[in-house]
Amino acid sequence: MRPRLLLALLLFLAACPAWARGTIDRVEIRGLEDHEAMEHNVRLALGVTASIGQVQGESRLEFLLLSAEREARQALEPFGYYSPDIAIDSTRDDDNRIVVTVNVGLGEPVRVRDANVAIAGPGGEDPYLGEDLAKFRPAVGEAFDHTTYEASRDAITRRLAERGYFDADFLEREVRVTRADYAADIDLVWDSGFRYDMGPTTFEQDYFRPGLLEKLVTWEEGSYFHQGKLDRLRTSLVKLDYFSAIDIQPRPEDATDDLRVPIDVTLVRAKRNVYTAGLSYGTESGMGVRFGVERRYVNDRGHKLLWDLDWAQNRKNLLLQYRIPAFAWLDGWYTGALSAYDEQTDYIDLRNIKLIASRSGEITERLTAVASLNALRERWSYDMDVATGQRLYTYSTLLYPELTANYIGVDDRLFPRKGISGSVSLRGGIGGAGSDTSFLQGWASATWFQGVGAADRFIVRGEAGATWTDDLIAMPPSLRFFAGGDRSIRGYAWREVGPRTPPPDNFATGARYVLTGSVEYEHYFNAGPWGMAAFIDGGDAFDDRFDLHLGVGVGARWRSPVGAVRIDIAHGLDDPDSGFQLYLSLGANL
């Protein structure tokens, strides 16, 4: 034991009465109620905390109480408080149970008096590293928090490696604290060394033909090294969905004399086939089953095949899809698809078959686009011929190109609290050029998320669509607009809002235009996963005159590990006697 600590212990023993054996019941820390991190650190540092509930002898109790002040003081130093006022009190009840109280007065924090933070060598001329240096914290005049200092220091060290300065090391790394002046002086200087370049990229895999994956390499050999280039390659490989494991490693230790770093990409193939199956139920579709098979890779060229069948009592849908990877210009896919749909409900008899040829591409990390050519043949009927009892069918054949763009600019795709997402589509056909009529149709939707407080959200959603044609009757129901339902106007059933056939049938026929909107507020209890929502939706699907339909409701929310779960109950305001609508939905609704 050091002489000073021994002397302090002797003085403490002389000043305090002898303690009998006792049990430390609890430890209270006062003065740090508004500083949760500090309180937690002090509590962890105290020896008395680890001894709670244990019977202690006289000498051990005295030692724990004597050490508590020193332990608390050291626990506050990482937060910049080197001269706090600390007093240790203890009380004992009749059962020899002891309550230890640590009273903390933080006093003045140590502040940064001088900061010499710099990068020597070629990295000192790197503008991006210069931005990182400008953001270094704590800055002059700010409290010297060790955690903040270490995070800033380590961030710059990582950035040097990310930008190819693999030989970077510290020239100076010192922090001098002068307690009497409540001052800290930072001296932190890196020697960046030379910047390395991108070397040859080697793919280690056992199936795909040479040259296929190499098309994903977007950089030229000899260009500056940057970790972001490797991250983009990883993202592209993940989206292919060929592999169960992807390992991309730069090897600066094997760099050539001209500082070119080899890149090794090691890939493990995923299982070729993915099988899906499930049960479904809808008030209109009835009971159903769903089967699907996806072949992740058909051949060594990386082609994909998807087969999906959704078979319900009143609705049936078959999708066959073949995809070929497309790496030129934009990462994406060439896709050929065939879909067949059959609906036999109380209000419509509908069948269609559709052929699709498309090219998708990722324009930016947030923006994707799909250009397609569609051939649609559709047959539908709303009513019977009274004289014959036979269905009166209408047929439509359309050949049209379509362009769709999707944007997702949010902070968290599972539970966004800030940002905007949206979709836009434009399609059109020319009568006589494969189509029964000429038409042009546009549709757009957007959702804005804004976080409120610790966990609450304010959500605004809007949708607008329009069809320009001289022959609306030739437009099949699958290309008309409907309103109502959980993604449209809650409080109304799916397709309830919009033009209808004459009574008594009163079936929804779809509209030329659609315009809907929603405002919603979600509150989460104690910033936890459970919450509730209140919302108002409005809009209409219409041909000529807009007739506002409003719905209001409340809902329950659960922020599950795999996305939001929403249960809503809503009522339409147009008909006070109408029933309530119940909705269950999953996912972020981007």
Side-chain angles (χ1 to χ4, degrees):
M1 186 179 294
R2 293 182 298 176
R4 293 182 61 184
L5 181 59
L6 178 60
L7 177 60
L9 179 59
L10 292 174
L11 291 174
F12 180 82
L13 294 176
C16 298
W19 283 90
R21 292 169 61 85
T23 302
I24 297 176
D25 183 59
R26 66 181 186 274
V27 176
E28 296 181 353
I29 300 175
R30 297 177 180 174
L32 298 178
E33 290 79 7
D34 296 330
H35 306 279
E36 183 178 350
M38 293 186 194
E39 180 179 350
H40 181 69
N41 206 48
V42 170
R43 192 174 296 279
L44 289 179
L46 293 173
V48 291
T49 301
S51 303
I52 290 176
Q54 302 174 6
V55 178
Q56 305 291 335
E58 174 185 346
S59 298
R60 178 62 178 169
L61 281 172
E62 292 173 344
F63 176 77
L64 290 173
L65 293 172
L66 177 65
S67 303
E69 180 181 352
R70 173 180 51 84
E71 293 165 344
R73 191 177 302 277
Q74 291 176 346
L76 292 171
E77 288 182 358
F79 301 94
Y81 293 91
Y82 283 78
S83 302
D85 295 323
I86 298 175
I88 310 297
D89 295 329
S90 59
T91 58
R92 179 193 294 259
D93 62 17
D94 295 337
D95 296 326
N96 284 327
R97 301 191 69 82
I98 302 168
V99 176
V100 178
T101 303
V102 181
N103 297 286
V104 179
L106 287 175
E108 287 294 321
V110 166
R111 298 187 179 276
V112 178
R113 178 172 54 189
D114 183 50
N116 176 32
V117 182
I119 297 175
E125 304 299 322
D126 190 315
Y128 295 98
L129 290 171
E131 292 177 4
D132 293 335
L133 290 175
K135 297 176 183 176
F136 189 92
R137 294 293 181 273
V140 173
E142 296 179 348
F144 181 75
D145 185 300
H146 286 241
T147 302
T148 303
Y149 164 79
E150 291 169 1
S152 296
R153 181 197 64 199
D154 295 345
I156 293 178
T157 299
R158 286 194 302 271
R159 283 281 281 177
L160 283 162
E162 289 172 0
R163 297 189 63 76
Y165 298 95
F166 291 108
D167 297 330
D169 201 356
F170 290 102
L171 287 175
E172 302 287 344
R173 183 172 56 175
E174 183 181 18
V175 177
R176 297 178 297 277
V177 175
T178 307
R179 296 173 185 262
D181 297 336
Y182 297 99
D185 299 309
I186 300 173
D187 198 2
L188 190 59
V189 181
W190 290 265
D191 179 4
S192 70
F194 291 105
R195 187 176 188 180
Y196 285 65
D197 297 329
M198 305 296 292
T201 303
T202 303
F203 288 86
E204 298 179 16
Q205 52 88 24
D206 59 359
Y207 180 76
F208 298 100
R209 61 174 51 192
L212 175 67
L213 302 177
E214 282 77 1
K215 295 177 182 178
L216 295 173
V217 176
T218 58
W219 61 84
E220 293 184 3
E221 187 174 333
S223 62
Y224 278 134
F225 180 92
H226 193 290
Q227 182 64 38
K229 298 176 181 179
L230 304 187
D231 293 340
R232 179 178 176 181
L233 174 60
R234 182 187 305 278
T235 299
S236 297
L237 289 169
V238 168
K239 289 181 178 179
L240 290 175
D241 195 31
Y242 297 153
F243 309 105
S244 60
I246 301 171
D247 184 36
I248 303 176
Q249 294 293 336
R251 293 190 288 110
E253 66 277 8
D254 296 329
T256 58
D257 292 340
D258 54 357
L259 301 181
R260 293 192 175 187
V261 179
I263 309 297
D264 284 349
V265 183
T266 304
L267 304 168
V268 179
R269 267 189 299 159
K271 291 182 179 180
R272 173 170 286 189
N273 296 323
V274 179
Y275 301 93
T276 57
L279 299 175
S280 64
Y281 175 76
T283 55
E284 294 185 359
S285 60
M287 288 294 300
V289 295
R290 183 173 182 175
F291 300 100
V293 179
E294 180 183 3
R295 201 166 179 86
R296 283 190 169 110
Y297 39 90
V298 175
N299 50 39
D300 62 0
R301 290 187 172 94
H303 297 188
K304 288 177 174 285
L305 177 65
L306 173 68
W307 174 85
D308 189 83
L309 175 64
D310 191 353
W311 187 281
Q313 289 174 293
N314 302 322
R315 289 197 183 104
K316 300 164 183 64
N317 188 48
L318 172 67
L319 174 64
L320 297 175
Q321 186 184 81
Y322 194 87
R323 292 193 291 165
I324 300 172
F327 301 133
W329 185 44
L330 298 173
D331 287 357
W333 299 91
Y334 295 107
T335 302
L338 166 67
S339 71
Y341 180 76
D342 180 273
E343 181 175 340
Q344 305 293 324
T345 58
D346 291 338
Y347 75 90
I348 194 170
D349 176 344
L350 183 148
R351 288 180 181 175
N352 67 35
I353 187 168
K354 188 177 184 180
L355 293 172
I356 307 167
S358 68
R359 165 66 158 101
S360 63
E362 183 180 283
I363 299 175
T364 68
E365 183 179 355
R366 298 180 174 183
L367 180 63
T368 59
V370 181
S372 63
L373 181 63
N374 305 267
L376 174 67
R377 174 66 171 175
E378 187 157 318
R379 182 201 77 176
W380 69 96
S381 172
Y382 291 106
D383 49 23
M384 300 279 191
D385 186 319
V386 177
T388 64
Q390 300 296 315
R391 280 279 188 182
L392 298 174
Y393 287 107
T394 303
Y395 294 84
S396 180
T397 300
L398 297 175
L399 178 67
Y400 59 92
E402 182 174 4
L403 181 63
T404 301
N406 297 293
Y407 176 82
I408 301 178
V410 297
D411 56 347
D412 184 346
R413 296 199 176 199
L414 281 180
F415 186 77
R417 297 193 71 240
K418 184 178 181 180
I420 296 176
S421 67
S423 297
V424 177
S425 65
L426 183 66
R427 61 176 73 99
I430 300 176
S435 294
D436 292 341
T437 184
S438 297
F439 75 97
L440 179 65
Q441 188 176 75
W443 176 86
S445 71
T447 305
W448 175 59
F449 300 90
Q450 178 59 54
V452 180
D456 293 1
R457 296 195 302 178
F458 184 65
I459 304 172
V460 178
R461 175 177 50 82
E463 173 198 24
T467 305
W468 295 273
T469 180
D470 293 331
D471 188 9
L472 186 63
I473 295 177
M475 294 295 293
S478 64
L479 291 182
R480 299 186 191 182
F481 295 115
F482 297 86
D486 66 316
R487 289 288 290 165
S488 181
I489 310 173
R490 285 166 290 187
Y492 301 87
W494 185 54
R495 294 180 173 177
E496 181 179 350
V497 178
R500 313 187 77 80
T501 60
D505 294 333
N506 203 32
F507 297 142
T509 61
R512 184 187 296 265
Y513 307 105
V514 67
L515 183 63
T516 67
S518 172
V519 177
E520 178 173 327
Y521 187 86
E522 294 181 348
H523 171 68
Y524 288 83
F525 306 112
N526 298 319
W530 294 96
M532 62 179 295
F535 55 84
I536 179 169
D537 296 353
D540 190 22
F542 58 102
D543 287 334
D544 301 304
R545 184 176 61 86
F546 178 80
D547 183 15
L548 178 63
H549 292 68
L550 291 175
V552 296
V554 295
R557 299 290 183 266
W558 176 40
R559 196 170 58 213
S560 78
V562 295
V565 178
R566 299 176 298 280
I567 301 176
D568 292 326
I569 184 169
H571 185 268
L573 300 183
D574 283 28
D575 183 0
D577 295 328
S578 65
F580 285 87
Q581 297 288 330
L582 181 66
Y583 309 95
L584 171 64
S585 54
L586 309 174
N589 274 353
L590 294 174

